[in-house]
Amino acid sequence: MAWREDDNWKLVFPKQKIFLMKHHNWAFVAWDLARDMGWIQDNATLIHVDQHLDAAIDGAMVSGLLKADGLNELTLLTECSLGNEEFVGIDNFIWAGFARETIQKIVYVSPEEQDGLFDQEEHILYLKKHLSKERIEQHTAIQFDSIEVLEIVNRGNLMNFYIENHSLILDLDLDFFAYQSETESGHTCYILKDKKEIRRNLRTLREMYTWDAITVALSPEEWYIGGSDNAEHVLKLFLEEFQVDFSEGKDWSVLVENNELF
């Protein structure tokens, strides 16, 4: 597949409002395009399913972030690597989306822990030169460590605060379906979860809500999902469970050039 050679590889399936990307940094751009298309409204709720929180706050500090408009200008602000105050990367794109008001409430589904994830006072202090205090106070987040826990909470109608009167975005990193292990020599490796478990989790996500947009990152590196073969395997499971015909994928530019078609 082309994504194996191209770090900037990404496809969109307009009828299903699904964005695929090799690396997760492109997700905040996809949310902007979804808003431009009218698929989501401002300040959507993001359900972020990932081995990693990707909650680096410096994504809100990137110069030009708030003024950038459209695919071309946003592309200039992002790189397929760990981000910093200079550009939006694979670990700080969520705060970039919050700063641009495409997302507001964030549901993290991840086993990773991070100090200060919910520390609003720290956020205000850190971002006071970049976002207003009023905007930062609108940041709302919660974390669950598995899809099973999310499902239980949702069945108990405890997610209403996050989902009612908000557009809903599913943001999925396929490395969620790998776990860290060790080789016999003691080296760290990443192994895929059981295929039945992956399918069950994907089906749960598909059926949980009527998603207004879906963003999916492959993250095919050895240190995330365990390599490109693992990424391709899980991608095929995703396509099957979400009933996506891969041959219908289009370059994201079609949303800019031909949005009247969709």
Side-chain angles (χ1 to χ4, degrees), residues 45-78:
T45 289
L46 181 76
I47 297 186
H48 173 74
V49 182
D50 195 325
Q51 275 291 343
H52 311 93
L53 292 168
D54 297 334
I57 197 170
D58 53 16
M61 304 172 70
V62 174
S63 178
L65 178 69
L66 301 185
K67 294 182 179 180
D69 182 36
L71 177 59
N72 292 336
E73 291 185 15
L74 290 170
T75 294
L76 296 175
L77 299 179
T78 188

Side-chain angles (χ1 to χ4, degrees), residues 79-106:
E79 295 184 17
C80 303
S81 62
L82 294 175
N84 54 44
E85 296 177 20
E86 301 295 323
F87 63 88
V88 180
I90 61 175
D91 62 335
N92 64 357
F93 59 90
I94 289 178
W95 271 94
F98 174 79
R100 288 184 59 80
E101 300 189 12
T102 49
I103 61 171
Q104 179 173 312
K105 297 179 178 179
I106 300 131

Side-chain angles (χ1 to χ4, degrees), residues 19 29-41 169 212-213 255:
F19 296 82
V29 181
W31 307 333
D32 240 84
L33 291 174
R35 180 169 59 179
D36 290 345
M37 296 294 297
W39 299 346
I40 65 169
Q41 302 302 309
I169 303 172
D212 296 296
L255 299 182

